[in-house]
Amino acid sequence: MKTLVVYDSVYKNTENIAQAIGRAFASGTVNVMKADGVTQSDLTGINLLIVGSPTQGGRPLPAMQKFLSEIPVGSLTNINVAAFDTRMTGEKTGAGVRFIVKIFGFAAGRIATDLQKKGGKLVAPAEGFIVDGREGPLKSGESSRATTWAQQIAEKVHSH
């Protein structure tokens, strides 16, 4: 199985989650790449595409939005896809952040929708990993949770 994990990151929290996801795959080829370095040829021959970004204003970062917009419609047909984000929640977020989230949501859901519009087959619900404050660090246990999430995806993909 050939897996590509594409991420964008500002404070390395999303990068750390992407790396944990990449390490979760025991077999096959796994590449973990930053969104602005991915070309269309990197998407050739993959079986699984996992995409993640920090949430800013309910959306992925601009480089991730560009990556997603440049994937040709239909080019992910028969490719399994999954989406994740990093996000702030809880008491460390201000009322303004909570309001934005209530109105706009998180990046992972938008990423999943974009991947499906390109033909991808969603194999797991969009997942969010928690960051303590704007710059992090990741909440304790989130990297382990990312590994478990990715292992569950791998098992599902292998069983089909």
Side-chain angles (χ1 to χ4, degrees):
M1 182 167 82
K2 186 175 177 186
T3 302
L4 177 61
V5 180
V6 178
Y7 71 92
D8 203 4
S9 194
V10 176
Y11 301 109
K12 294 205 178 267
N13 298 301
T14 311
E15 179 179 357
N16 290 338
I17 293 294
Q19 294 293 342
I21 289 168
R23 288 189 301 270
F25 292 88
S27 62
T29 304
V30 180
N31 290 316
V32 179
M33 301 178 71
K34 196 161 183 186
D36 60 7
V38 178
T39 65
Q40 291 303 313
S41 65
D42 293 314
L43 298 173
T44 303
I46 62 172
N47 308 99
L48 175 61
L49 175 62
I50 301 175
V51 179
S53 174
T55 297
Q56 275 191 354
R59 301 185 183 286
L61 296 178
M64 182 58 70
Q65 291 180 46
K66 182 177 187 291
F67 164 74
L68 292 166
S69 72
E70 291 177 351
I71 298 172
V73 173
S75 66
L76 297 180
T77 301
N78 298 321
I79 296 175
N80 298 300
V81 297
F84 71 94
D85 64 32
T86 51
R87 57 181 72 168
M88 296 183 301
T89 64
E91 63 279 349
K92 287 194 176 186
T93 60
V97 170
R98 287 192 297 272
F99 176 76
I100 289 170
V101 166
K102 193 174 199 173
I103 298 298
F104 297 108
F106 295 105
R110 292 176 187 268
I111 294 169
T113 298
D114 285 347
L115 294 172
Q116 287 177 294
K117 286 179 181 176
K118 305 297 178 147
K121 178 184 166 195
L122 195 63
V123 293
E127 187 62 63
F129 298 96
I130 309 304
V131 177
D132 283 330
R134 181 173 169 84
E135 296 181 21
L138 288 165
K139 183 178 171 191
S140 178
E142 291 299 90
S143 288
S144 296
R145 199 165 68 77
T147 299
T148 301
W149 180 72
Q151 289 168 337
Q152 290 168 346
I153 290 170
E155 288 171 17
K156 184 171 185 175
V157 170
H158 282 300
S159 69
H160 285 104

